[in-house]
Amino acid sequence: MLILGIDPGTATTGFGVVNSTKDGVEVVTWGLIETDKSLLKETRLDFIFEELIALINKFKPDVFVFEKVFFSNNAKTVISIGQAQGVILLAASKTKVHVEEYAPGTIKKLITGNGRANKKEVQEHVRKILGNRVKSAKHKKTHFDNEADALAIALTHAFTVTENKIKIPGRIILGKTKGVKKNV
């Protein structure tokens, strides 16, 4: 199963594609869709939409997953992310790709073992699961946290709906357990 994970944002949208098979999960690609802050909001959203359509057409994912809307003290941020999520849903609808959503705490709990993990912890655990080559580009300022979040979202779906296991030192996560972890 090919899974496209998306970490939505208007300025920076992270994406990650993983392939989940009976033998495990492997990373296919990851990256960012970045928009110029000087552009009109509608132009930025159109750019995100077009880039998502291109990603879907290139990789042909079986499912498209992203974080559920969260609540924040900053209404401007919530609105902006909601607009990006609307564009994401439209791209999925136009390309007939099934959509799933996961709560941020669920993603963090499954990937790190801590539902309140910070971005650095998520990045570290994504690397433990997918390998050290999953990192930001050398000598380039990036928003790797958005890419890592997108990969974490894709991994969450992979381990929620398949029989795969994540082996992390000190624990194993069994697939189809809705995030239940067993220490080893």
Side-chain angles (χ1 to χ4, degrees):
M1 170 187 347
L2 211 55
I3 304 164
L4 172 58
I6 297 290
D7 180 38
T10 304
T12 306
T13 294
F15 67 87
V17 180
V18 299
N19 189 25
S20 178
T21 67
K22 64 180 171 69
D23 297 322
V25 178
E26 65 181 356
V27 65
V28 176
T29 192
W30 66 94
L32 297 170
I33 300 169
E34 296 179 285
T35 62
D36 186 335
K37 292 180 181 184
S38 68
L39 296 174
L40 295 171
K41 186 185 320 182
E42 57 270 25
T43 303
R44 295 170 81 184
L45 291 170
D46 183 59
F47 181 76
I48 294 167
F49 175 78
E50 293 298 331
E51 290 296 309
L52 287 173
I53 294 289
L55 276 172
I56 293 167
N57 288 336
K58 180 176 181 178
F59 293 102
K60 309 224 181 303
D62 298 300
V63 65
F64 195 104
V65 293
F66 66 96
E67 263 185 3
K68 285 183 181 179
V69 175
F70 65 93
F71 293 98
S72 170
N73 292 333
N74 187 341
K76 185 176 177 182
T77 299
V78 172
I79 290 168
S80 177
I81 290 172
Q83 290 169 338
Q85 287 178 330
V87 168
I88 289 166
L89 288 170
L90 180 61
S93 174
K94 292 287 185 188
T95 55
K96 310 273 191 268
V97 178
H98 177 71
V99 176
E100 292 286 340
E101 297 176 85
Y102 293 92
T106 300
I107 297 162
K108 291 174 183 179
K109 178 98 172 125
L110 182 63
I111 300 303
T112 71
N114 175 5
R116 294 180 173 269
N118 64 37
K119 288 193 172 285
K120 199 70 158 168
E121 291 171 301
V122 171
Q123 290 174 41
E124 289 169 3
H125 281 81
V126 165
R127 281 191 192 103
K128 284 179 185 176
I129 296 165
L130 294 174
N132 285 331
R133 75 179 186 99
V134 177
K135 57 186 171 189
S136 59
K138 280 188 177 182
H139 309 294
K140 184 179 176 195
K141 183 182 179 215
T142 68
H143 297 274
F144 180 68
D145 57 325
N146 299 108
E147 296 165 308
D149 284 353
L151 288 167
I153 295 162
L155 287 169
T156 297
H157 186 71
F159 298 124
T160 299
V161 301
T162 69
E163 299 293 335
N164 290 322
K165 294 179 183 177
I166 306 173
K167 295 177 185 170
I168 299 173
R171 64 190 176 106
I172 293 179
I173 302 171
L174 303 173
K176 285 194 177 176
T177 60
K178 296 293 183 194
V180 174
K181 294 176 183 63
K182 297 185 178 182
N183 290 326
V184 290

